[in-house]
Amino acid sequence: MSGKSVSSVSSVSSESDPESYPGAQDEPHGQTPESYDVFRDPWGIPHLRASDELGLARAQGRVTAFDRAWQLEVERHRAEGSSASFLGPDSVVWDRFARQSRLADTARLCYEAMEADDPATAAWVRAYVDGVNEGLADGAARDERFARTGLAPSPWEPWVPLAIWVATHILFAGFPTKLWRERVARALGDETLTLFATDGPRIAGSNGWMVPGDRTTTGAAIIAGDPHRFIEDPGVYQQIRLACPEYDVLGLAVPGVPGLAHFGHTGSAAWAITNAMSDYQDLYVERLRRGADGGVEALGPDGVWEAVARHTETISVAGGDDVEVEILETARGPVIVRADGDLDSDTDADTDGAAASASSADGSTQTLSLRYPPRVRRDLGFAALPALLRARTVADIDRALDGWAEPVNVVHAADTEGGLLHRVAGAVPLRHGTNRLRPVPAWEPKHLWQGWAPTPAEPVQGFAVMANARGIAAPLGVEFAPPHRADRIRELLSGSADWSPKAMADVHRDTYLASAEPLLALLPGFEELTPAAQELRTRLLAWDRRMEADSTDATVFSAFRTATVRRLAADAVFAGLAGAPAGPAVFHPWLYLVPKIGYALEGLLTTSLVPELDRAAHVRAALEETAAAGSPDTPWSEVHRLTPWQAVPDPDAPDWPGLGGDHDCVNATSSVPGFTDLTARASAARYVWDLARREDSLWAVPLGADGVTGTPHHRDQLPLWARCELVPVVTDWTRLTKESI
């Protein structure tokens, strides 16, 4: 496809052990078809070698179940909407959404279509599931959380990896933002729909950059970056190596899903992704009524009342009563929000406009269905996964990603022949522009989907950077990350033409906070400040704007920022947005005013959309408030501490480390300005792929390779990760330890 830029380099990828090359050796001695060997490096990372790719997929499933049985079962139950059965009432909110949005059913449909249209990929996924089922019992025996919660692992169906993938990414594109925009429009007017546009609190973002060979010490490309996700224990990415006669690939896997979807290095080619920030999920306002036969009907785009699929499901709740959930699905998609009494309204009411279904000022009582590509297409793009493992060149990666569907990503890829790739991959529907902004009336034909958008690609010139900012994917989205991370990475990369893999760690750890500028820029204009406020202003203006772990100035700035955010949130102009969110609690993180102002602070300080907002007065008052409280001499890392999510909290967990960085830093350790300095969202992995010598590549994850609490490799990478240090990739089989599981 267009967009590839190829330049020649003379270097050739090599491994320490030539036998690691796929096809360079006969079938390993002593192996029978579908048999495999398991090796570990000094960090406990699994390196798997099998006689064929089905045996390798089985090995990946088995080893993942042995290392991470608890994590796999938590993710399976979340995908199926049954996590409350062992985690208790707090999980009902998610389980209800998982069932109403038909996550597991979508996975079943996609797998059935795969079996019919692509039996080879279906067999590959099934081999992985066979391995999971072989390893679950042994893995569960290693982890006391099964006994503590009474959870007994049960066999997986072949579609479960697809369900985990759907559940992991269903909120990836941030469709709840449309609920927030609807609320904003009703409170402040339609012209303010994107007033709070920002990258937060999205489920995922990333940094990624690719340096061609003419800027490296080896003459071959380097790809580096880090996916930003909510940090979980165990970690959401699994370092692993997969080798068979057809290929030898290392990278970062999603536990519960075969292959290496997002980040991989085949020896001669490598790839990495970031969130494209594309909008590809729609919310439809539905008008429902009871039909003559007692069933439910929805008003369709042709003016005809259509039958709605309807049934009930039961959520079992540990320590609580069972919960009945009504499942409705219109021709647009599953109903995920129900208005009170929506079946009792006058069926002859006016149907002109979305407001016909709304009964509250914030739009929360609209009955809404969700339309998302996997359920429409019956395809997740899983055929790309084994194809990526077999890739030898950028062209191979490009072809594989032509079939990618969910989620929509920006991709960097390079190979040892000098090939470079910068493209978008995924399924984005073509439809009316309003669909991207807010819920739209299901009965208006103009809001129907009209096919699929082409995925953009660009040639690589100089170097390529992807950090969720507006750029290559701009035609496909609405809200993007501020440009600060991308601009800072470009600035750092421009400072050298002699990059090595080890030097890339300095890029990962950069803590410059460019988004502080609009807030600090207001300070010089204030007159008649108290002496304490004058002193604080002088200190803030002299600050180097680095959120370093040991910086006390960073802590002071955060306190000032917090005071500013809270004062803005209390302004009367936002009174219509200040109340507690209504509707399903699963969407509430997108609907609270204080975090929205915290993430959008930079834009709110400069926008002309709310002229009645006296920003200067609020910032001045925040400065005086912070000064009166006293300037703490507390290092940033003492208040900016990691707080990972755990399905079951570990009562013996040590203190989590303090971190440098902040939301708009390259070292993107996100606090929630105005709410907390703690961080739950950060780099879920860091990687550096060297195309000259794969064994010079580097990587790290927040915790470790083993998902079992208390084991040697459960948190052994945590101290390094906290300092933005990476560990070497080991490729020499003779340096690995063979084990039997």
Side-chain angles (χ1 to χ4, degrees), residues 35-61:
S35 65
Y36 55 85
D37 290 323
V38 179
F39 300 82
R40 304 274 183 179
D41 69 10
W43 298 95
I45 296 168
H47 294 239
L48 311 179
R49 188 163 62 187
S51 58
D52 60 34
E53 65 176 350
L54 291 182
L56 186 58
R58 178 174 143 236
Q60 185 183 5

Side-chain angles (χ1 to χ4, degrees), residues 292-372:
D293 61 356
V296 179
E297 296 177 336
L299 185 61
D302 56 1
V304 175
W305 290 91
E306 308 161 337
V308 174
R310 182 187 190 188
H311 70 279
T312 60
E313 297 181 7
T314 301
I315 300 174
S316 298
V317 183
D321 296 332
D322 289 352
V323 175
E324 294 292 322
V325 180
E326 184 179 43
I327 311 299
L328 299 176
E329 185 163 11
T330 73
R332 270 66 58 197
V335 172
I336 59 170
V337 179
R338 285 287 301 278
D340 294 336
D342 65 349
L343 294 178
D344 300 323
S345 60
D346 181 2
T347 59
D348 294 325
D350 178 29
T351 62
D352 182 19
S357 289
S359 60
S360 73
D362 65 4
S364 62
T365 61
Q366 293 172 315
T367 293
L368 301 174
S369 62
L370 172 65
R371 189 167 181 82
Y372 58 104

